[in-house]
Amino acid sequence: MRRPDVPPMPALEATELRRYAVRRRERTIVVTALAVSSVVVVLMALGFWAFFVRTLSDPGSPALVGIRIDGDAVTVKSGQCPQDRVRRVEVWDSDTERRVWRGDDPLTEEGRRGLLPLWEGKAYRASSPAGQPSELPATLDVTVDQDPAYGVSEVFDIAEVRRAVVPPGSYWTHEGVRTAEQLDGIPDCGNSSSP
């Protein structure tokens, strides 16, 4: 039964019915295509996000940084691939986020290969400040920049390092005591590009 306020629908011809059906099908196709493409875009965004999270959480180098303290002498050993060379070492006070020392361009081959005496200006082309602080900060953040353009960093609790038994030629790391050879034993050196 027809409502009195709604005019009757005019009779449609066969061609108009076909056009109406085609438009409705086209609209359905467009809506479906938009829904599918939205899902594809979301999946691609999730894939890129997962890729970048993995890339950022898995640094270019799985190298460790080790440290040893012998009296007043503090030495860092940065694990690296044979073709890599150290450009700079920076030491930060982790508590205050203040840089306490920096050494640029180690002068010896051992230094360029990652054996880095801290606060020894004569071992670097440039360093600042000239001397070691009278007391080491409780927590040191050591960053080693290497060529080709990557770096490694580690935070050391100085009290923990001083308590550790570290034999000669070995270094304390967050994964335990390691020798220089073990620190340089990086499994994927073949992926690192040559300088």
Side-chain angles (χ1 to χ4, degrees), residues 2-3 124 133 146:
R2 188 172 68 78
R3 286 180 29 197
Y124 300 87
Q146 301 173 345

Side-chain angles (χ1 to χ4, degrees), residues 12-134:
L12 297 176
E13 294 181 11
T15 55
E16 289 175 326
L17 282 173
R18 247 183 270 120
R19 275 192 222 130
Y20 174 77
V22 167
R23 271 187 259 133
R24 187 169 178 177
R25 220 174 304 135
E26 287 172 347
R27 205 171 326 155
T28 303
I29 290 170
V30 168
V31 168
T32 304
L34 285 174
V36 168
S37 62
S38 296
V39 169
V40 169
V41 167
V42 167
L43 290 175
M44 286 177 59
L46 287 172
F48 282 122
W49 177 80
F51 171 77
F52 285 116
V53 165
R54 177 170 162 71
T55 300
L56 293 175
S57 66
D58 183 20
S61 167
L64 289 173
V65 178
I67 190 171
R68 66 176 298 115
I69 300 174
D70 299 302
D72 288 338
V74 181
T75 307
V76 167
K77 172 62 179 124
S78 168
Q80 59 190 50
C81 295
Q83 67 271 21
D84 299 334
R85 295 295 177 262
V86 171
R87 291 183 295 137
R88 172 182 307 127
V89 59
E90 291 184 332
V91 181
W92 298 77
D93 179 338
S94 290
D95 295 331
T96 63
E97 296 184 9
R98 180 180 59 89
R99 189 176 72 198
V100 294
W101 188 77
R102 173 178 164 169
D104 292 304
D105 300 320
L107 296 174
T108 65
E109 183 58 25
E110 291 83 17
R112 289 187 288 273
R113 291 282 306 123
L115 185 58
L116 305 163
L118 304 183
W119 291 285
E120 295 220 9
K122 64 182 185 265
Y124 300 87
R125 189 167 318 285
S127 68
S128 68
Q132 181 172 339
S134 56

Side-chain angles (χ1 to χ4, degrees), residues 136-174:
L136 291 177
T139 310
L140 286 183
D141 184 345
V142 178
T143 301
V144 180
D145 292 330
Q146 301 173 345
D147 280 329
Y150 76 93
V152 291
S153 182
E154 188 61 65
V155 177
F156 298 103
D157 179 324
I158 295 304
E160 188 175 7
V161 174
R162 288 188 193 275
R163 283 192 305 269
V165 177
V166 182
S170 296
Y171 302 87
W172 186 93
T173 75
H174 70 276

